Every structure is written in structure tokens, then in C-alpha cells.
């Protein structure tokens, strides 16, 4: 609201505005203290050498120039993009399939919804610890089941690619959250459109790709944005299961940032990593927003 608009407000409107600002004042204080200040301070620290115990020492752009020659920085960036490019589309497909399964009109579907959603609310660290046991090549359940069909026992955490795939597969246990959002979008599609398409002879696949998918495209875009955001911040699974190994194969960006900040005491360099990650996330969001104009429709019927 501009100063000119404030001058045109009546006394009553100004009083209501002050009351409204007073009500949201706790949120404003929390936002400034918990979001704006840490972000600005992190940007400042990214130009310094800071260990957390001594005062920051101004370095200028040294931390950012150091990134360009840091092999582990590029390795962590590659691992993170690998996870995002492979894991996010898989997660979208899994969530869509779960939503289609939960959208069936059968009496026991509430039980199925609870079962499918339950893994997404379990702590990630607990799922990671369970995954270590399940994929153990000697006594793990997964190895045992694969051995029954003739697949040899393999240590999937000994290879960089297979270790990343283990973490990607583990992430699909949280697809129930996105599935519920898809389900809400599917429930908003008018049933008359399906009835008309069925009368015209459209099969299930044609109805899905011609009606369901276009009309839930805003929901699809939302899950895509949140999926990419979570992929850029993947940390817990790699920290617990592999600690970044083997051969830095699961050294994701957030794990490398954590190591620099809390293992090596290089908070200034870690802040530079955080700023770069923020810029990458912002650029990816802008790119997805631009691309979304071609496939996202906010009209019920186009």
C-alpha cells in the first residue's frame, strides 16, 4: 500500500489497518527473526572467514572463487542434480499411481489410504536405519527375496550409482504426501466430464491423459516444485546410510555444506555454499515457472 493510498483512507480504515498489523505482528517478528535476518547474515558470512569462535574476517569474493576450483563442490552438485533428475520424476509417477489407487470407489479405501500415507509421516532417520538392515547383503530381507529368484547378493552401498539409487528408492516411501495432494486434485475434476468421455468411447487411459492430467496440472506443478526443492536439500538419508560414500558417490550438496560448517568449522565457506544453493533453487523455480505456462492450465475446462 503506497503513501498516497494511506492518505485516502478514512479514519476507520486506518484503525482497522493498525489492528490488522497488530494481529499479524507476531508473524512479522518471527519472519524477520527466523527468515530475513539469518538469510542476510548468511550472505554477509559468505564473504568472510568464520569458524564460529572467532570474529569474522572479511575475505571478499575468496569463498566464491574457491568454489570454482573445489572438486568436492562439483561432485556434490552433480550428485544432487542426479538425485533431482532421476528421483523427482519417479516420485511424481509413484504419487500419481498411489492417488489413482486411492481414488477407487470401494468401501475399504480409507484403510488403504491410511496404509499408503503412513510411511510419509515416519521419521526419515528411522526409515534410513531400517533401509540399512533391509539391503544388507548377508542377512537383509531384500537380498534374501532377490536370492529366491536367482539374483546374486550384492552390496548396493559399495557402488556410487547403486548407492544413489538406494536413496532415491527410499525417498519413494514419502510419496504418500504428494499422492494425497494429487487425490484432492482428482476429486475436484467434475464427474460429468468422465461420463461424457465414456459415452464417446474413451477408455481409461484416454480419460486420464485427456481429462485428469490436464485438469490436475496445477497440482502436478505444485508437487514438481516441492519435489525439486526437497531434492536440492536431501541430507538425512545420505548422512545416516552412507555418510557421503562410497567414493563421495552420495556426497549431496547439503551434506557437503554440513561437513564444512560443523565438521571443518568453515562457516564462511559453508555460507557461500548456502548462497549458491539459494541462487540455484531460485533459478530452477523461475525456469519451471516459465516452462509451466505451456502445460499448466488453471481453467477447469480449456
Amino acid at each position: 500500500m503506497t503513501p498516497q493510498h494511506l492518505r485516502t483512507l478514512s479514519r476507520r480504515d486506518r484503525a482497522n489497518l493498525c489492528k490488522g498489523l497488530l494481529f499479524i505482528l507476531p508473524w512479522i517478528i518471527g519472519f524477520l527473526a527466523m527468515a530475513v535476518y539469518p538469510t542476510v547474515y548468511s550472505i554477509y558470512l559468505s564473504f568472510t572467514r568464520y569458524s564460529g569462535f572467532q570474529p569474522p574476517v572479511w575475505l571478499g569474493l575468496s569463498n566464491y572463487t574457491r568454489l570454482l576450483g573445489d572438486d568436492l563442490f562439483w561432485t556434490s552438485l552433480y550428485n544432487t542434480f542426479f538425485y533431482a533428475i532421476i528421483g523427482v520424476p519417479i516420485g511424481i509417477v509413484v504419487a500419481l499411481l498411489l492417488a489413482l489407487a486411492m481414488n477407487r470407489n470401494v468401501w475399504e479405501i480409507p484403510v488403504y489410504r491410511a496404509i499408503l500415507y503412513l510411511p510419509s509421516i515416519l521419521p526419515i532417520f528411522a526409515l534410513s536405519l531400517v533401509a540399512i538392515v533391509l539391503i544388507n547383503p548377508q542377512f537383509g530381507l531384500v537380498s534374501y527375496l532377490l536370492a529366491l529368484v536367482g539374483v546374486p547378493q550384492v552390496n548396493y552401498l559399495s557402488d556410487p550409482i547403486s548407492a544413489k539409487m538406494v536413496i532415491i528408492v527410499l525417498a519413494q516411501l514419502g510419496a504418500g504426501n504428494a499422492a494425497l495432494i494429487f487425490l484432492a486434485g482428482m476429486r475436484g475434476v467434475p464427474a460429468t466430464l468422465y461420463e461424457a468421455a465414456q459415452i464417446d468411447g474413451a477408455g481409461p487411459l484416454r480419460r486420464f491423459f485427456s481429462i485428469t492430467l490436464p485438469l490436475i496440472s496445477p497440482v502436478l506443478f505444485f508437487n514438481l516444485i516441492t519435489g525439486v526443492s526437497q531434492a536440492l536439500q536431501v541430507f538425512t538419508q545420505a548422512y545416516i546410510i552412507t555418510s557421503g560414500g562410497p567414493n563421495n558417490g552420495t556426497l549431496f550438496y547439503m551434506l557437503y555444506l554440513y561437513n564444512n560448517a560443523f565438521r571443518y568449522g568453515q562457516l564462511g565457506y559453508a555460507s557461500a555454499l548456502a548462497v549458491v544453493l539459494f541462487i540455484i533453487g531460485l533459478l530452477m523455480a523461475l525456469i519451471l515457472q516459465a516452462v509451466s505456462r505451456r502445460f499448466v492450465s488453471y481453467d477447469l475446462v480449456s
Side-chain angles (χ1 to χ4, degrees), residues 186-204:
M186 292 177 183
R187 288 301 178 96
V189 179
T192 54
L193 296 179
Y194 294 113
E195 294 171 358
Q198 195 169 6
I199 292 174
D200 291 338

Side-chain angles (χ1 to χ4, degrees), residues 94 98 102 110-128 130 134 169-180 230 237:
V94 171
L98 291 178
M102 292 189 292
V111 178
Y112 295 152
R113 290 175 186 168
I115 294 174
L116 293 174
Y117 180 71
L118 183 62
S120 65
I121 63 175
L122 296 177
I124 298 178
F125 72 88
L127 293 175
S128 301
V130 172
L134 291 178
V169 172
L170 179 63
Q172 307 317 311
L173 293 176
N177 189 33
L180 281 186
Q230 293 171 358
Q237 304 94 312

Side-chain angles (χ1 to χ4, degrees), residues 25-76:
L25 185 60
W27 179 88
I28 294 176
I29 295 175
F31 176 72
L32 293 176
M34 301 298 178
V36 176
Y37 172 74
T39 301
V40 174
Y41 190 58
S42 180
I43 293 174
Y44 163 71
L45 289 181
S46 68
F47 296 100
T48 67
R49 180 175 67 247
Y50 182 51
S51 64
F53 300 99
Q54 300 293 332
V57 178
W58 185 261
L59 296 178
L61 296 174
S62 296
N63 287 329
Y64 292 97
T65 55
R66 174 184 169 185
L67 287 174
L68 299 177
D70 188 350
D71 292 337
L72 289 181
F73 164 75
W74 295 109
T75 299
S76 65

Side-chain angles (χ1 to χ4, degrees), residues 248-272:
N248 296 320
T250 57
L251 182 66
F252 295 111
Y253 198 96
M254 284 298 297
L255 181 57
Y256 185 52
L257 191 155
Y258 170 86
N259 289 339
N260 278 280
F262 302 108
R263 286 189 176 180
Y264 312 142
Q266 301 179 4
L267 292 176
Y269 188 59
S271 297

Side-chain angles (χ1 to χ4, degrees), residues 86-150:
I86 303 297
V88 173
I90 293 177
I92 294 292
V93 172
V94 171
L96 269 173
L97 294 176
L98 291 178
L100 290 172
M102 292 189 292
N103 199 30
R104 311 294 295 178
N105 291 321
V106 292
W107 69 268
E108 66 269 30
I109 198 63
V111 178
Y112 295 152
R113 290 175 186 168
I115 294 174
L116 293 174
Y117 180 71
L118 183 62
S120 65
I121 63 175
L122 296 177
I124 298 178
F125 72 88
L127 293 175
S128 301
L129 292 174
V130 172
I132 295 176
V133 178
L134 291 178
I135 63 176
N136 187 285
Q138 297 180 351
F139 54 81
L141 179 61
V142 174
S143 299
Y144 172 75
L145 294 177
L146 292 177
L148 294 179
V149 295

Side-chain angles (χ1 to χ4, degrees), residues 179-282:
L180 281 186
I181 300 175
F182 276 130
L183 178 63
M186 292 177 183
R187 288 301 178 96
V189 179
T192 54
L193 296 179
Y194 294 113
E195 294 171 358
Q198 195 169 6
I199 292 174
D200 291 338
L205 287 178
R206 181 63 182 274
R207 293 197 298 269
F208 174 76
F209 286 104
S210 298
I211 299 176
T212 304
L213 205 55
L215 293 183
I216 66 169
S217 56
V219 180
L220 176 64
F221 179 61
F222 172 81
N223 281 333
L224 179 61
I225 287 289
T226 55
V228 170
S229 176
Q230 293 171 358
L232 292 178
Q233 302 176 65
V234 59
F235 167 78
T236 306
Q237 304 94 312
Y239 178 77
I240 294 177
I241 297 176
T242 60
S243 298
N247 195 25
N248 296 320
T250 57
L251 182 66
F252 295 111
Y253 198 96
M254 284 298 297
L255 181 57
Y256 185 52
L257 191 155
Y258 170 86
N259 289 339
N260 278 280
F262 302 108
R263 286 189 176 180
Y264 312 142
Q266 301 179 4
L267 292 176
Y269 188 59
S271 297
L273 289 169
V275 172
V276 171
L277 180 63
F278 173 78
I279 295 173
I280 292 174
L282 180 61

